[in-house]
Amino acid sequence: MQMMTWDVLLEMEPEEDDDEDGDIVLGNLEQTIVPTFGNLESQHNFRTPETAEFNGKSDALYFNDGQRRIDFVLVYEDERRKETNKKGSNVKQRRKRQAYESNLICDGLKLEATRSLVFVKVHAPWEVLCTYAEIMHIKLPLKPNDLKTRSSAFGNFNWFTKFFQVDENIIKPEQEFFTAPFEKNRMNDFYIQDRDTFFNPATRSRIVYFILSRVSYEVKDNVKKFGINRLVNSGIYKAAFPLHDCHFSWPSQDVSCPNERYLLYREWAHPRSFYKKQPLDLIRKYYGEKIGIYFAWLGYYTKMLLLAAVVGVACFLYGYINQDNCTWSKEVCDPRIGGEIIMCPQCDKGCPFWRLNITCESSKKLCIFDSFGTLVFAVFMGIWVTLFLEFWKRRQAELEYEWDTVELQQEEQPRPEYEARCTHVVINEITQEEERIPFTAFGKCIRMTVCASAVLFWVLLIIASVIGIIVYRLSVFIVFYAKLPKASNTTDPIQKYLTPQTATTITASIISFIIIVILNMMYEKVAIMITNFELPRTQTDYENSLTMKMFLFQFVNYYSSCFYIAFFKGKFVGYPGDPVYWLGKYRNEECDPGGCLFELTTQLTIIMGGKSIWNNILEVVFPWVMNICRLYFTASSTEKKTPRWEQDYHLQLMGKLGLFYEYLEMIIQFGFVTLFVASFPLAPLLALVNNILEIRVDAWKMTTQYRRMVPEKAQDIGAWQPIMQGIAILAVVTNAMIIAFTSDMIPRLVYYWSFSVPPYGNHTDYTMKGYINNTLSIFNTSDFTERSRENLDSDLGDHTTCRYRDFRYPPGHPQQYKHNIYYWHVIAAKLAFIIVMEHLIYSVKFFISYAIPDVSKSTKSKIKREKYLTQKLLHENHLKDMTKSFGVIAERMGEVIDNNLRPKVE
């Protein structure tokens, strides 16, 4: 064993090419002292890895000696075997790689390389693991946890819940331990029964990746360059990854292999296991806490969706069963009522007069969604989302305790990219000591301004695309009116249901979805560039910053068209004699006589359904096809057995932001389920079905199609938690406004209770009869403007009057075409409804949030108990060591004193 020395560890931006911005000037950079083994070699005296041929064991996870475990694999192609004219470039790359591998060996790592396409296998010895476990503040077992676990709330139904549980004979429960941050000088206090298993494979990979990210490979002009990520991005290495422990389809032949990948595929990722609970402890053990917390959240969200889906289906069935009792829809379809009502043209050019009964089928569908059940469901969802968030906080706190991430924020290391730029010296206000930061306060202000401006520009670009969709609606509406049938007596089912309004809505929704997908692909790269420019300190800060940017963009991108239909379309159209024009050219859109609610439902169905189908196709087909193609073009036909590292190399790379996109997909879905659920009660059911598939698809692709990711720690779901809380608050407002302004529920209630009986109505009892006639105002065709009269298409003959959707006085009235008393009653009722509904739901939400603590009492007790026992154990062990040391000192001092006082024998 070499004498351990202290060396200067400097970090480097790994994401960029060899430019001056990513380099480190040694004289100006703060130095982070970490223990290493040996000194950095000069670039002319490299240490090289051991070379070894493949021993024929395709599932081997160890060096050829069978003793040293492979913790990481680096892949490159030997430049000397390439046929290229860039010999100077190849030599330069080879020297950088040789320097990097030599420095890894100097840091104590063991390397073993193959030939041809070179796979450098990396092993971390015990001393290196212990050293860096202390540096990284990794929590490791002290002693077995003897606290009693809480019994299941479904203890009396074990016979039922056992059907959904993972078989414990196949996946054994993980033993729980008291843990503490590792310290080498207290190694005897930790529960070390076997040095080979004390650090599990995930922890070993974390430590090795920490070293790989911080070891230098070149010194040029007093500048050091660092990091495996930069070496991979520049092509010096082709890949760097930890190994899967076996093939997913069958267990390893090595008896020492835990076969965790095979167990995960069999009990979690296989389609036949879709009904089983997820083995979260094994997921966390194999992939790390970051992936474990994602699947825990997704599983809990899916479980809570089951209740919302049941209530949503019940409300849908209520509307479906009662659609035949919908009086206003019957009036629309009645040839003597709807068939006799002549509606005014909805555009200035090519649009005819039309009869109300051509909207018969859409009015019947609208009765399903625009019913009393929708109001009940909207109130329920406002409470459901609060219950979900509060109970998830409790579940998250339990996982923090079980997975030892309670104090994670205190132990998270700065990103190498951040440390590489720390060149400015400032005085810490608390310690009054010098510390280094990447930029001054003015520089930080400049960066924030540039980033905010870039985000604002892209948001405005999305709004411009939405305006383009609106212009498309206005212009194509005229074409559909000219091409599609104008009467309802056709026998063709397509012509019967495909009205101009429906055709415009469907085509606009499809175009909107295509634009959304295109803008998403463009903005992803822009958001990453902006976040890299911001230079967050830790990986958590980086992901939270990127999360907020991406979600703001996605929020506008996905929801803007829905907000337009729900709250703007048909609200500012004027009346036939004084219509409102967009850009002075396009007449504003109008809603059907039944309102825009059904159009909003259609928009949600297309975007939500299309997004789910498209994402699942990409997640399943793309990696599968890419792996097959890569294996076909690279695999050697003469080799029957392929080593584990080569099998994993041919898999797809997940990437650091792979999990981020999974979260983003689910949060966008969460927004659809909550923000506009008043218009589509079946949204939770669609989300439930999608999520059941999503869990297994994500599990399948991670287990079978992707390389094993570097395990990472995570305390919670990060910035997604406050985003969901913001959506939950906004959802109350949007659903209240959808019911008030988009649906016709409030006007119908006002008519039923006030305008169907005297003094405003002629009926003796409260009734919905006459509602359609009462809500359609009369317009005199002689009052059309010259612009409209020139382009009128009078297919239905000469008409002196027509009807339009609004509450205005008829022609000849002293206040003709002004809003009537019915309009002001409806406005007052809508505002009162919004205020009452919001205050009611917010009151219930705040009460639930107050009544349900974020951390359960039992979890608090366990955390305090573990902290107490851990401190007691460490203190007692330390006290024993001190007592033992003082006892030895006292005994020696006694011997010295005794020798001095004993008389000399002459």
Side-chain angles (χ1 to χ4, degrees):
M1 177 66 65
Q2 292 181 326
M3 181 69 67
M4 185 176 72
T5 62
W6 293 90
D7 192 22
V8 177
L9 180 63
L10 305 175
E11 289 77 11
M12 165 60 221
E13 165 110 55
E15 301 295 338
E16 302 177 6
D17 294 331
D18 291 356
D19 53 31
E20 294 181 359
D21 293 337
D23 300 333
I24 304 168
V25 180
L26 296 182
N28 298 327
L29 182 65
E30 181 183 9
Q31 299 178 347
T32 304
I33 306 299
V34 300
T36 59
F37 296 83
N39 296 319
L40 290 177
E41 299 289 323
S42 68
Q43 295 196 10
H44 302 284
N45 186 21
F46 297 132
R47 296 187 179 186
T48 59
E50 308 169 15
T51 57
E53 298 293 339
F54 175 47
N55 58 11
K57 298 180 179 179
S58 59
D59 288 332
L61 299 176
Y62 294 85
F63 284 12
N64 276 12
D65 58 15
Q67 301 296 322
R68 293 172 291 179
R69 183 182 178 88
I70 301 173
D71 299 316
F72 227 87
V73 174
L74 310 179
V75 186
Y76 68 90
E77 187 173 357
D78 193 347
E79 291 84 357
R80 290 170 294 188
R81 298 177 180 270
K82 291 183 179 179
E83 296 182 1
T84 177
N85 295 325
K86 298 181 179 180
K87 295 183 178 179
S89 175
N90 291 341
V91 171
K92 183 179 179 181
Q93 288 191 353
R94 185 168 68 252
R95 293 186 66 83
K96 289 180 180 180
R97 185 170 54 248
Q98 290 172 345
Y100 182 72
E101 292 175 359
S102 178
N103 291 338
L104 290 178
I105 297 174
C106 291
D107 263 11
L109 298 179
K110 305 298 181 184
L111 307 182
E112 183 180 83
T114 63
R115 302 183 187 277
S116 185
L117 181 61
V118 183
F119 293 86
V120 181
K121 295 166 281 185
V122 183
H123 168 76
W126 172 257
E127 286 294 330
V128 174
L129 293 173
C130 292
T131 300
Y132 282 91
E134 183 173 1
I135 293 171
M136 298 169 67
H137 307 288
I138 295 176
K139 287 187 174 183
L140 293 168
L142 283 173
K143 61 176 293 188
N145 189 337
D146 55 359
L147 296 179
K148 294 181 179 180
T149 57
R150 185 180 60 179
S151 59
S152 174
F154 302 97
N156 296 329
F157 300 94
N158 286 337
W159 59 271
F160 177 73
T161 58
K162 187 177 181 180
F163 176 75
F164 301 98
Q165 300 289 342
V166 175
D167 190 350
E168 293 186 357
N169 295 322
I170 299 176
I171 299 181
K172 295 179 173 56
E174 295 291 326
Q175 184 179 4
E176 295 186 5
F177 291 91
F178 294 123
T179 60
F182 185 78
E183 298 179 27
K184 289 183 66 175
N185 59 356
R186 292 188 173 184
M187 190 178 299
N188 295 331
D189 296 339
F190 288 86
Y191 191 75
I192 306 176
Q193 290 188 322
D194 185 356
R195 288 190 172 189
D196 293 335
T197 59
F198 180 65
F199 294 97
N200 62 40
T203 304
R204 297 175 68 99
S205 298
R206 276 183 61 207
I207 293 174
V208 172
Y209 182 74
F210 182 88
I211 300 172
L212 294 176
S213 300
R214 289 161 169 80
V215 169
S216 66
Y217 59 86
E218 185 181 30
V219 178
K220 185 177 181 181
D221 298 331
N222 203 31
V223 173
K224 283 191 176 182
K225 299 180 180 181
F226 293 80
I228 184 61
N229 290 336
R230 183 173 182 177
L231 290 172
V232 172
N233 292 339
S234 60
I236 297 176
Y237 285 100
K238 299 177 75 69
F241 53 89
L243 287 179
H244 284 295
D245 64 353
C246 67
H247 196 274
F248 65 87
S249 296
W250 55 80
S252 173
Q253 297 177 356
D254 187 353
V255 294
S256 63
C257 178
N259 295 311
E260 291 174 348
R261 185 189 186 193
Y262 166 72
L263 295 177
L264 284 171
Y265 176 73
R266 175 179 171 180
E267 298 296 319
W268 178 49
H270 199 281
R272 66 166 177 256
S273 301
F274 75 94
Y275 63 90
K276 290 185 178 181
K277 292 183 66 176
Q278 301 183 85
L280 294 177
D281 287 335
L282 184 59
I283 297 171
R284 170 249 183 171
K285 180 182 177 183
Y286 191 76
Y287 288 111
E289 287 78 5
K290 190 172 184 178
I291 292 181
I293 198 72
Y294 163 73
F295 281 104
W297 171 81
L298 182 56
Y300 198 84
Y301 170 47
T302 304
K303 183 171 66 175
M304 290 293 291
L305 275 175
L306 180 61
L307 176 61
V310 170
V311 178
V313 170
C315 293
F316 174 80
L317 292 177
Y318 171 84
Y320 182 80
I321 294 172
N322 289 279
Q323 65 175 326
D324 293 334
N325 301 325
C326 190
T327 305
W328 65 270
S329 178
K330 291 180 180 179
E331 292 184 350
V332 171
C333 298
D334 192 340
R336 295 170 299 177
I337 302 177
E340 297 296 328
I341 295 178
I342 305 300
M343 302 296 294
C344 297
Q346 292 186 315
C347 62
D348 291 334
K349 184 177 181 180
C351 294
F353 294 94
W354 53 286
R355 299 186 186 275
L356 180 61
N357 63 344
I358 70 170
T359 62
C360 175
E361 295 300 325
S362 62
S363 68
K364 289 181 179 179
K365 297 184 184 71
L366 188 60
C367 288
I368 301 175
F369 300 101
D370 194 0
S371 64
F372 179 74
T374 302
L375 172 60
V376 174
F377 188 57
V379 174
F380 166 80
M381 287 301 294
I383 299 173
W384 172 88
V385 69
T386 304
L387 291 173
F388 162 62
L389 293 176
E390 293 303 319
F391 282 120
W392 164 245
K393 290 179 185 177
R394 292 167 65 89
R395 176 58 179 154
Q396 187 171 256
E398 293 176 1
L399 292 175
E400 288 179 16
Y401 165 75
E402 295 172 2
W403 293 354
D404 295 321
T405 58
V406 176
E407 299 176 351
L408 179 63
Q409 296 297 332
Q410 300 177 7
E411 60 189 67
E412 188 171 9
Q413 300 292 324
R415 298 166 63 237
E417 297 88 342
Y418 177 88
E419 293 182 336
R421 303 292 181 87
C422 291
T423 58
H424 298 277
V425 180
V426 296
I427 302 298
N428 189 299
E429 295 180 355
I430 300 175
T431 62
Q432 293 299 312
E433 296 179 356
E434 288 188 355
E435 65 178 12
R436 294 184 181 271
I437 58 176
F439 34 72
T440 62
F442 178 75
K444 184 176 181 180
C445 181
I446 294 295
R447 287 173 179 261
M448 297 299 294
T449 303
V450 171
C451 294
S453 301
V455 172
L456 179 61
F457 168 78
W458 278 90
V459 170
L460 293 177
L461 182 63
I462 303 171
I463 295 175
S465 70
V466 174
I467 295 175
I469 293 294
I470 296 173
V471 173
Y472 166 82
R473 287 173 175 270
L474 299 176
S475 58
V476 82
F477 183 74
I478 302 173
V479 177
F480 284 134
Y481 243 122
K483 301 296 183 181
L484 293 178
K486 307 176 182 61
S488 62
N489 54 2
T490 178
T491 58
D492 188 346
I494 297 180
Q495 293 182 350
K496 184 177 180 181
Y497 290 100
L498 194 62
T499 63
Q501 293 90 345
T502 305
T504 302
T505 300
I506 293 175
T507 55
S509 298
I510 294 174
I511 294 174
S512 177
F513 174 72
I514 295 174
I515 292 177
I516 286 172
V517 173
I518 295 174
L519 289 178
N520 277 348
M521 292 188 293
M522 296 172 58
Y523 184 72
E524 286 175 5
K525 298 180 180 179
V526 174
I528 293 173
M529 291 174 57
I530 295 173
T531 309
N532 289 338
F533 182 70
E534 281 185 7
L535 201 63
R537 181 177 180 273
T538 65
Q539 185 64 24
T540 299
D541 295 337
Y542 180 89
E543 292 177 0
N544 289 345
S545 178
L546 181 61
T547 296
M548 298 304 296
K549 294 181 183 62
M550 285 295 295
F551 179 76
L552 177 62
F553 175 84
Q554 298 279 14
F555 184 90
V556 179
N557 199 11
Y558 275 104
Y559 303 142
S560 56
S561 59
C562 296
F563 273 99
Y564 165 73
I565 295 173
F567 306 122
F568 295 98
K569 183 180 178 183
K571 305 299 187 296
F572 310 101
V573 296
Y575 64 96
D578 186 21
V580 176
Y581 290 90
W582 268 79
L583 307 176
K585 180 178 180 181
Y586 299 102
R587 182 170 167 178
N588 211 343
E589 283 187 285
E590 297 183 30
C591 294
D592 282 339
C596 289
L597 188 68
F598 183 68
E599 185 173 346
L600 178 60
T601 302
T602 305
Q603 179 85 357
L604 284 171
T605 305
I606 292 176
I607 293 182
M608 190 175 175
K611 178 177 176 294
S612 299
I613 295 172
W614 175 253
N615 287 338
N616 284 321
I617 290 175
L618 284 181
E619 290 181 7
V620 173
V621 175
F622 180 76
W624 180 67
V625 171
M626 291 297 294
N627 285 336
I628 290 179
C629 294
R630 188 170 184 175
L631 191 62
Y632 176 79
F633 288 112
T634 58
S636 174
S637 58
T638 59
E639 294 183 0
K640 294 183 179 180
K641 287 188 176 182
T642 307
R644 171 85 271 133
W645 46 86
E646 189 169 345
Q647 296 176 39
D648 286 6
Y649 171 68
H650 293 309
L651 299 177
Q652 292 297 301
L653 175 65
M654 184 72 173
K656 278 189 174 182
L657 299 178
L659 201 62
F660 167 83
Y661 296 120
E662 302 296 339
Y663 271 118
L664 184 61
E665 178 186 352
M666 289 295 101
I667 296 299
I668 294 297
Q669 181 206 87
F670 178 78
F672 281 122
V673 168
T674 54
L675 290 174
F676 306 101
V677 75
S679 65
F680 191 34
L682 294 180
L685 177 63
L686 294 182
L688 175 64
V689 174
N690 176 79
N691 288 6
I692 292 175
L693 296 175
E694 182 74 21
I695 292 174
R696 305 305 162 177
V697 168
D698 288 347
W700 174 81
K701 70 180 184 182
M702 285 189 184
T703 308
T704 66
Q705 303 300 309
Y706 285 95
R707 298 171 190 162
R708 188 175 181 178
M709 292 191 296
V710 179
E712 295 183 52
K713 283 278 188 179
Q715 188 176 22
D716 48 36
I717 61 175
W720 301 112
Q721 183 77 27
I723 286 176
M724 287 194 297
Q725 291 174 340
I727 291 176
I729 294 174
L730 181 61
V732 178
V733 180
T734 56
N735 284 300
M737 294 182 67
I738 286 173
I739 294 175
F741 293 105
T742 309
S743 77
D744 258 11
M745 183 175 296
I746 302 301
R748 290 199 301 268
L749 291 175
V750 171
Y751 176 80
Y752 181 84
W753 292 107
S754 299
F755 285 80
S756 64
V757 294
Y760 301 109
N762 300 322
H763 300 280
T764 57
D765 298 322
Y766 297 109
T767 181
M768 286 300 297
K769 292 181 180 180
Y771 170 74
I772 291 296
N773 184 65
N774 191 269
T775 55
L776 295 177
S777 300
I778 302 174
F779 181 76
N780 194 329
T781 56
S782 62
D783 294 331
F784 275 119
T785 61
E786 292 296 330
R787 180 176 181 178
S788 300
R789 188 179 292 110
E790 292 175 359
N791 299 311
L792 286 179
D793 181 8
S794 305
D795 288 346
L796 299 180
D798 297 329
H799 304 284
T800 58
T801 62
C802 61
R803 309 295 289 272
Y804 61 98
R805 177 183 166 83
D806 207 343
F807 306 111
R808 295 178 183 269
Y809 288 111
H813 192 277
Q815 299 184 12
Q816 67 174 4
Y817 303 136
K818 301 292 185 182
H819 286 120
N820 58 24
I821 189 66
Y822 191 4
Y823 171 83
W824 299 111
H825 274 72
V826 169
I827 289 295
K830 288 180 176 181
L831 296 177
F833 171 80
I834 292 174
I835 294 173
V836 171
M837 182 176 174
E838 286 183 358
H839 282 69
L840 175 64
I841 297 179
Y842 281 141
S843 299
V844 176
K845 285 169 66 71
F846 292 143
F847 174 77
I848 292 174
S849 300
Y850 176 79
I852 302 176
D854 293 346
V855 184
S856 65
K857 185 177 180 181
S858 60
T859 303
K860 285 182 180 179
S861 300
K862 288 179 182 179
I863 294 173
K864 292 179 181 178
R865 175 68 175 166
E866 179 178 359
K867 190 173 183 179
Y868 165 75
L869 292 176
T870 301
Q871 292 178 348
K872 182 180 179 182
L873 178 63
L874 292 175
H875 177 72
E876 288 179 350
N877 290 339
H878 182 64
L879 189 60
K880 288 179 182 178
D881 293 340
M882 293 291 294
T883 304
K884 184 177 180 180
S885 300
F886 280 125
V888 173
I889 295 174
E891 183 178 349
R892 291 180 179 177
M893 290 180 63
E895 292 177 357
V896 173
I897 295 173
D898 186 53
N899 290 334
N900 291 334
L901 294 179
R902 186 179 301 165
K904 294 184 179 180
V905 179
E906 294 293 340

